[in-house]
Amino acid sequence: MEKLSVPSHITSNGSVSVDSGHVRLNELGYKQELKRDLSMLSNFAFSFSIISVLTGITTLYNTGLNFGGPISLVYGWLIAGAFTLFVGSSMAEICSSYPTSGGLYYWSAKLAGPKWAPFASWMTGWFNIVGQWAVTTSVDFSLAQMIQVIILLSTGGKNGGGYEASKYVVIAFHGGILLLHAIINSLPISILSFFGQLAAAWNLVGVMVLMILIPSVSTERASAKFVFTHFNSDNGDGINSKVYIFVLGLLMSQYTLTGYDASAHMTEETKNADRNGPKGIISAIGISIIFGWGYILGITFAVTSIPNLLSEDNDAGGYAIAEIFYLAFKNRFGSGVGGIFCLGVVAVAIFFCGMSSVTSNSRMAYAFSRDGAMPFSSFWHEVNSQDIPINAVWLSAFISFCMALTYLGSAVAFQAMVSIATIGLYIAYALPIFFRVTLARKSFIPGPFNLGRYGIVVGWIAVLWVATISVLFSLPVAYPITSDTLNYTPVAVCGLLILTVSAWIFSARHWFKGPITNIAS
C-alpha cells in the first residue's frame, strides 16, 4: 500500500507566522479558497449548534417516553453518549491528519488506498451529503411543527378551539425557514461565526434555564424513584419485550447526537485546523452529553402522567414537551403563556441548529463538487467575492425543501426520508474509521491530535456501535406490521445504497477518481 504523506504541522516560517491548517491543506494539494477566520470556539459552536440538545431531545421526547419512559431517556442518553464519544474521538484523530472541508469522503479516499480510493470516496461522500440534507430537512421541519404548536397553544389549545395548521401551512413554514437560513448563510464568514457563537450560547443558557425553571414551576413533580427507575412498557404498539422497547427508546438520544462532522467541514475556515477541528468535535459531543442529560432530568421531573402527555387529545395535540411546559405554567399561574415563551426559547435553538446545518451542508457540497463528484460540479464549487460557496448554500436549502415535500404525499414516506439523517449519516461516519483500522492500520500517520496506541481499539468500538444501531433502528416499531406501521428506515437506506452503487457501476467509475488536488505538488 502507498505510504500516506507525513503531516508537517508547521507553526512558523522564520519570523512570519504560518497557520498549521493552511500548511497542511497545501500539503494535501488544495488552495486556500475559503477565508480562514474561525477560532476553535467558533468551530465548536457550529457542531454544538447542530447537535443542539434542545432540538433533538425536544423533538423526539415523545419517542423516549413511549418506548421505555424515564429509564430509556435517562440511561439511554448516557449509553448513546458514551459510544458517540468513541465515534467522535476516532473522527477527530483522522480530522487532525486531514483537515479539509471534504471531511469524511476525503478521509475514506486517503485511508482506503489507491485501489479503493475512488469507490470509497464516492460511497462515503454521497451517504454523508444526503444524510446532511436529511438532517437539515428534519431540523427545519421540526421547527415548522414547533411553530404550529406554539400557534395552537397561543390560540386556545386543541381543547379550546385553537388553530391547527394544515400540512400545507407547515410546509410553507418550512420553506420560509429554509429561505432565511440560505440568506443568513450567504453572509460573510465573520457574521456567520458570530451567529454560530450566539447559537452555542443560546443552547447552553437555554438548557440551564429550562432544566431548572420547568420542574420549579410545576405544581406536581415526579419522584426521584420515578425519574431513575420507572420503565414504561405500555406503548400501545404491541411490543412487550423490555429490551426491545429500550432499544427503540435509544433513537431519541442517537438522533440528537449527530452532526458533529460540521467541525471537519469547517476546517478550511478554521485557524490551526489540525488542532482546533478535532477539539471542536470532541468538545461539542462532550458538552452536549452533559447538558443534554441535565435537560432530560429537569424535564422528566415535571412528568406526572405519561399517557396524558402522549395523548393527541391534550392541548398541545400530543407534543409531550409542549404540553409539559404549557401545563407547568397553567397549573401554577392559571395561564400557559409562560410555557409558550419557553417553547419560543426552544424554537430559536432549533432555528440556529438549522442555520448551522445549512452551513455544514454547503461546505460539504463545495468540497464534493470541487472534486467533480456532483452534477454541474463547477457551478456548485464557485465562491463569491466574500469567499462563500454561495451556489452550494442555495443548493442545500433547495434540496432540503424538496425532501420535505414528501410529507404532502405521505407521512410514512417523509419518515423514511429523514431516517437517513441518523443511519445514513452514521454509516458515512463509520466508513473512514473502518478504513483507518483495517486498510490503513499500519500506514496512517496521525496529526497533532491522536489516540496513540488506543486508536485501533477505539476505532473498532466505533465501527461496531454504528453497525449495531444500523440494525437496531431498522427493526419494526409496531406490531402487527402493516404499510402504516412498517419501519421504512432500511428501505430508505438500501435505496440510497442501490442508487449510489448503480451510479458508480454505470457511470462514475469511468470518470470519478476521488479527491482532485488543485495546486501543483
Side-chain angles (χ1 to χ4, degrees):
M1 174 180 287
E2 177 186 64
K3 199 74 171 177
L4 303 182
S5 58
V6 182
S8 61
H9 303 286
I10 303 170
T11 56
S12 64
N13 181 11
S15 61
V16 180
S17 177
V18 179
D19 184 277
S20 58
H22 187 143
V23 170
R24 182 59 181 149
L25 184 67
N26 288 166
E27 289 175 348
L28 296 174
Y30 290 112
K31 290 186 246 181
Q32 182 69 51
E33 295 180 312
L34 304 177
K35 188 175 182 181
R36 194 177 290 274
D37 200 37
L38 299 181
S39 63
M40 180 267 162
L41 178 62
S42 296
N43 182 283
F44 150 80
F46 279 108
S47 278
F48 184 71
S49 300
I50 294 177
I51 294 175
S52 182
V53 294
L54 283 176
T55 299
I57 293 174
T58 301
T59 302
L60 284 181
Y61 194 77
N62 281 50
T63 301
L65 272 186
N66 192 46
F67 295 111
I71 281 190
S72 285
L73 292 164
V74 173
Y75 300 108
W77 179 263
L78 296 178
I79 291 171
F83 282 107
T84 299
L85 272 175
F86 281 100
V87 178
S89 296
S90 287
M91 287 172 59
E93 181 181 52
I94 301 171
C95 177
S96 182
S97 188
Y98 305 114
T100 76
S101 292
L104 308 170
Y105 85 86
Y106 182 91
W107 305 346
S108 286
K110 289 299 179 183
L111 296 169
K115 181 180 178 181
W116 292 102
F119 181 65
S121 180
W122 177 264
M123 296 300 297
T124 306
W126 280 109
F127 266 87
N128 189 191
I129 197 165
V130 174
Q132 282 194 352
W133 286 331
V135 166
T136 301
T137 301
S138 60
V139 168
D140 280 5
F141 192 82
S142 69
L143 177 53
Q145 290 180 313
M146 174 65 78
I147 293 172
Q148 173 198 17
V149 172
I150 289 174
I151 294 173
L152 173 63
L153 292 173
S154 300
T155 53
K158 188 167 184 177
N159 296 313
Y163 173 74
E164 294 186 71
S166 69
K167 60 184 179 181
Y168 298 101
V169 173
V170 174
I171 284 292
F173 287 157
H174 182 260
I177 294 162
L178 278 167
L179 178 63
L180 287 174
H181 285 156
I183 292 172
I184 292 172
N185 273 280
S186 300
L187 300 174
I189 190 63
S190 56
I191 298 177
L192 271 181
S193 175
F194 167 76
F195 276 120
Q197 292 183 42
L198 177 62
W202 187 277
N203 271 276
L204 287 172
V205 175
V207 166
M208 288 189 290
V209 169
L210 294 175
M211 65 186 276
I212 296 171
L213 179 63
I214 299 303
S216 299
V217 170
S218 298
T219 55
E220 294 182 75
R221 282 184 288 275
S223 65
K225 181 180 179 181
F226 174 84
V227 172
F228 290 103
T229 65
H230 180 73
F231 188 87
N232 177 39
S233 57
D234 183 19
N235 50 72
D237 292 310
I239 301 174
N240 300 312
S241 167
K242 288 189 175 182
V243 174
Y244 197 161
I245 292 170
F246 181 80
V247 163
L248 295 177
L250 277 177
L251 177 62
M252 180 207 75
S253 302
Q254 201 60 76
Y255 168 81
T256 303
L257 295 169
T258 55
Y260 43 87
D261 57 314
S263 286
H265 296 303
M266 300 306 292
T267 49
E268 289 186 34
E269 295 161 273
T270 301
K271 298 172 185 175
N272 299 314
D274 49 350
R275 292 176 173 83
N276 290 333
K279 289 178 183 177
I281 294 173
I282 298 296
S283 57
I285 297 172
I287 294 174
S288 293
I289 292 171
I290 295 168
F291 279 81
W293 200 57
Y295 184 53
I296 289 171
L297 289 177
I299 300 305
T300 307
F301 267 108
V303 172
T304 53
S305 172
I306 293 176
N308 177 59
L309 293 177
L310 295 175
S311 171
E312 293 185 1
D313 295 324
N314 64 34
D315 278 323
Y319 202 126
I321 281 190
E323 183 73 2
I324 291 171
F325 288 7
Y326 187 71
L327 287 181
F329 281 86
K330 187 176 182 180
N331 292 340
R332 170 73 68 177
F333 303 108
S335 170
V337 172
I340 296 171
F341 273 106
C342 289
L343 289 176
V345 171
V346 176
V348 173
I350 300 175
F351 181 84
F352 281 139
C353 177
M355 177 200 74
S356 297
S357 187
V358 172
T359 307
S360 181
N361 291 178
S362 63
R363 271 49 179 186
M364 172 60 194
Y366 158 82
F368 210 29
S369 59
R370 178 175 61 185
D371 291 321
M374 297 175 64
F376 310 108
S377 283
S378 60
F379 183 72
W380 308 127
H381 170 236
E382 288 182 7
V383 296
N384 64 10
S385 58
Q386 297 170 327
D387 298 330
I388 298 293
I390 190 75
N391 297 337
V393 166
W394 288 90
L395 171 70
S396 298
F398 177 73
I399 289 181
S400 294
F401 178 69
C402 291
M403 291 176 80
L405 291 178
T406 54
Y407 177 73
L408 296 177
S410 165
V412 172
F414 175 74
Q415 286 304 120
M417 186 73 72
V418 299
S419 66
I420 300 174
T422 301
I423 302 304
L425 204 54
Y426 262 94
I427 289 173
Y429 290 179
L431 285 173
I433 300 174
F434 176 73
F435 298 134
R436 152 77 177 96
V437 298
T438 54
L439 298 176
R441 179 170 182 161
K442 296 181 179 179
S443 57
F444 176 70
I445 306 293
F449 176 90
N450 63 83
L451 303 174
R453 60 181 178 174
Y454 300 107
I456 299 296
V457 174
V458 171
W460 272 116
I461 293 173
V463 170
L464 291 174
W465 174 247
V466 173
T468 300
I469 63 173
S470 296
V471 173
L472 296 180
F473 293 161
S474 297
L475 297 173
V477 294
Y479 290 90
I481 300 173
T482 66
S483 59
D484 292 327
T485 61
L486 179 66
N487 183 354
Y488 284 87
T489 297
V491 177
V493 174
C494 287
L496 177 58
L497 177 65
I498 291 170
L499 283 174
T500 50
V501 171
S502 298
W504 173 260
I505 292 173
F506 295 110
S507 177
R509 67 188 178 94
H510 299 295
W511 49 266
F512 182 68
K513 304 303 178 186
I516 304 168
T517 57
N518 60 9
I519 61 174
S521 59

